[in-house]
Amino acid sequence: LLNGKDLAGWVPQDGKPSAWFATTRVQGAGKALVATPGAGPIIVNGNGRTANLVTVLKHGDCELHVEFMVPEGSNSGVYLQGLYEIQVFDSFGHTEMKTSDCGGVYHRWIDEKPVGGSAPRVNASKKPGEWQSFDITFRAPRFDKSGRKTANARFVRVLHNGVEIQKNVEVDGGTRAHMNIAEAALNPLMLQGDHGPVAYRNLRLAHLR
């Protein structure tokens, strides 16, 4: 999903101003990320308060490999189909895992309250400023010919740094801060940009249908 040069194939959500940029190298520096903009295989949100980034490509069932880096205390998220979030967070050293921790299936937000979600089974987080990975097997929601949903979206399996942290987690609607789009067989991927500095590289998506 990254061409190794620039942000081609990605657009800022709702056309908002974007501070994402491409680079060849990034490193953590306390609560910040340090990188120089230019052609490269890494995309960086350096200021932590910018537009979410959305793929032009739309996907259904897929296997997704994601590598990411967050500095100390930072927060982002990978939204399958722009709706269902796997949390990206600096959870290094946490002992009681929550839906808001790294690798969590984030909760929904209904009537101003958190609903559902799935905390990671274990904490597989590395130290802030180190590269980490997710390997996600995702099953899109199903619809009949009339457009009625017949099956919810599902995270079949999520590995965090090679450790299984989620298995067969059903999601019955968009999680908090999702895109303002309807559930569908095909929708774009979204990277959260308004919660903290983050860098991504080696985003690879394999369609399963």
Side-chain angles (χ1 to χ4, degrees):
L1 299 178
L2 300 175
N3 66 9
K5 298 180 295 183
D6 54 31
L7 295 175
W10 297 80
V11 294
Q13 184 184 6
D14 300 328
K16 296 178 180 178
S18 172
W20 292 87
F21 60 88
T23 188
T24 56
R25 184 174 180 271
V26 62
Q27 63 183 34
K31 295 185 177 182
L33 292 177
V34 177
T36 301
I42 302 168
I43 57 172
V44 178
N45 163 21
N47 67 19
R49 291 291 182 270
T50 192
N52 299 328
L53 205 58
V54 180
T55 57
V56 175
L57 172 145
K58 295 183 178 181
H59 73 88
D61 295 358
C62 70
E63 291 181 345
L64 178 69
H65 176 80
V66 180
E67 296 177 17
F68 61 92
M69 179 192 294
V70 286
E72 183 181 333
S74 197
N75 182 341
S76 181
V78 178
Y79 285 74
L80 280 291
Q81 297 201 321
L83 295 170
Y84 319 106
E85 182 185 10
I86 296 295
Q87 173 80 328
V88 171
F89 192 72
D90 170 24
S91 293
F92 181 71
H94 291 193
T95 55
E96 183 179 346
M97 304 306 287
K98 303 176 182 178
T99 60
S100 56
D101 276 301
C102 198
V105 177
Y106 208 73
H107 48 258
R108 303 185 69 196
W109 194 250
I110 301 173
D111 296 329
E112 299 302 313
K113 295 179 182 179
V115 176
S118 174
R121 293 180 173 187
V122 296
N123 188 351
S125 293
K126 296 182 180 181
K127 294 179 181 179
E130 295 187 13
W131 284 107
Q132 307 190 53
S133 67
F134 288 145
D135 288 283
I136 301 167
T137 303
F138 173 78
R139 187 179 188 273
R142 299 305 200 244
F143 301 86
D144 64 18
K145 292 182 179 179
S146 71
R148 181 180 66 89
K149 186 168 70 169
T150 58
N152 290 322
R154 181 181 298 272
F155 287 101
V156 178
R157 192 182 192 207
V158 180
L159 303 181
H160 182 194
N161 297 326
V163 178
E164 185 176 86
I165 58 167
Q166 304 283 357
K167 188 169 184 178
N168 289 327
V169 177
E170 189 172 306
V171 188
D172 58 3
T175 57
R176 192 173 187 184
H178 62 79
M179 293 180 68
N180 187 24
I181 55 177
E183 291 186 287
L186 298 172
N187 265 324
L189 184 76
M190 184 180 81
L191 303 177
Q192 191 174 48
D194 62 353
H195 277 49
V198 64
Y200 289 96
R201 70 180 184 185
N202 294 335
L203 275 77
R204 300 191 297 268
L205 187 147
H207 298 281
L208 297 181
R209 65 170 181 146

